[in-house]
């Protein structure tokens, strides 16, 4: 598995289309979320030109995982859609806190249940490590995310320091909770980080050409 990190413009339209179709397969078709759709692709109000994406690719260049990173200094999913998960605490707003959302690492054809279907062990660890590292490179000291309880159990088996940001709550037909992920972890990066490709920004593309 290889992981690319970049914005919509640096990933390019073909790879972005694969990413958003994968998100539709996992989050809408398999997990049953009522999300915004555009021609079979899942996009929402937080998918901006400067949103940071991580995409895991297999040897056939098919998407096998994804993640989205958003700074909390601008509107983000937890703040705008699920503030109740913070149990009355203010939503974080800091250059040192980034939100991790739309995180999945699974073959969508194999998804069976929401708890097991969003993540698979080895790919999860590699993609999460890449997301934490990418956020840290952008100044993050902590990540915050919204997840179902089944994902919490999987996350707690990883080397990352996880802490609940509020109690579990039922939101519609889904049980959810918000949690912190420490971006400064003591783990062996060589054991979990796959080969990762940063997509250069347009200015760098011109400079490198």
């Amino acid at each position: 598995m290889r992981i690319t990190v970049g914005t919509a413009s640096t990933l390019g339209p073909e790879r972005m289309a694969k990413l958003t179709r994968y998100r539709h397969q996992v989050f809408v078709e398999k997990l049953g979320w009522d999300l915004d759709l555009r021609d079979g692709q899942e996009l929402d109000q937080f998918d901006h030109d400067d949103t940071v994406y991580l995409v895991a690719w297999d040897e056939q260049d098919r998407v096998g995982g994804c993640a989205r990173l958003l700074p909390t200094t601008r509107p983000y999913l937890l703040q705008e859609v699920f503030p109740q998960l913070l149990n009355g605490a203010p939503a974080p707003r800091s250059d040192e806190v980034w939100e991790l959302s739309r995180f999945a690492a699974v073959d969508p054809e194999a998804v069976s249940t929401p708890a097991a279907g969003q993540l698979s062990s080895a790919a999860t660890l590699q993609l999460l490590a890449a997301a934490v590292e990418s956020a840290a490179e952008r100044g993050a000291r902590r990540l915050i995310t919204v997840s179902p309880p089944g994902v919490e159990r999987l996350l707690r088996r990883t080397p990352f320091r996880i802490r609940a940001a509020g109690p579990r709550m039922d939101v519609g037909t889904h049980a959810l909770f918000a949690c912190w992920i420490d971006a400064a972890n003591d783990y062996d990066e060589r054991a979990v980080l796959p080969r990762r490709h940063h997509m250069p920004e347009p200015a760098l593309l011109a400079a490198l050409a």
Side-chain angles (χ1 to χ4, degrees):
M1 181 178 74
R2 73 188 190 283
I3 295 175
T4 54
V5 182
T7 62
S9 62
T10 55
L11 289 172
E14 182 178 350
R15 287 189 164 187
M16 276 301 298
K18 289 184 178 181
L19 166 61
T20 53
R21 283 196 296 269
Y22 175 83
R23 279 173 34 171
H24 178 274
Q25 286 180 293
V26 173
F27 295 104
V28 178
E29 294 180 14
K30 300 300 181 181
L31 300 182
W33 284 94
D34 182 15
L35 301 173
D36 293 336
L37 304 178
R38 306 177 195 175
D39 299 323
Q41 301 178 50
E42 192 274 305
L43 291 163
D44 66 14
Q45 67 268 37
F46 307 109
D47 291 301
H48 305 293
D49 291 342
D50 56 354
T51 298
V52 178
Y53 301 99
L54 290 91
V55 191
W57 307 91
D58 66 15
E59 294 180 355
Q60 286 74 45
D61 209 33
R62 296 175 302 195
V63 180
C66 67
R68 180 174 68 184
L69 292 172
L70 295 164
T72 60
T73 52
R74 62 183 301 171
Y76 59 99
L77 184 68
L78 175 63
Q79 177 193 53
E80 297 292 311
V81 182
F82 301 114
Q84 66 271 36
L85 297 179
L86 294 170
N87 201 31
R93 183 178 178 84
S94 168
D95 291 331
E96 295 184 346
V97 179
W98 282 59
E99 181 187 60
L100 174 65
S101 60
R102 293 299 190 270
F103 184 88
V106 69
D107 179 352
E109 299 301 323
V111 173
S112 56
T113 65
Q118 194 170 345
L119 304 167
S120 62
S121 57
T124 298
L125 188 58
Q126 292 184 346
L127 186 59
L128 182 59
V132 169
E133 184 187 39
S134 295
E137 289 171 352
R138 291 163 173 81
R141 296 181 62 83
R142 292 188 295 172
L143 281 73
I144 195 159
T145 187
V146 176
S147 299
V151 174
E152 177 189 16
R153 291 190 292 272
L154 290 172
L155 290 176
R156 291 193 181 280
R157 298 174 192 162
T158 72
F160 300 94
R161 288 192 285 271
I162 309 295
R163 179 171 59 87
R168 301 177 189 180
M169 295 185 180
D170 290 330
V171 181
T173 59
H174 299 273
L176 297 172
F177 81 109
C179 78
W180 295 101
I181 303 173
D182 196 339
N185 286 279
D186 296 324
Y187 63 89
D188 186 354
E189 292 185 354
R190 294 169 299 178
V192 297
L193 285 177
R195 184 158 48 97
R196 192 161 61 103
H197 300 265
H198 286 281
M199 304 299 290
E201 296 297 328
L204 290 178
L205 284 173
L208 295 172

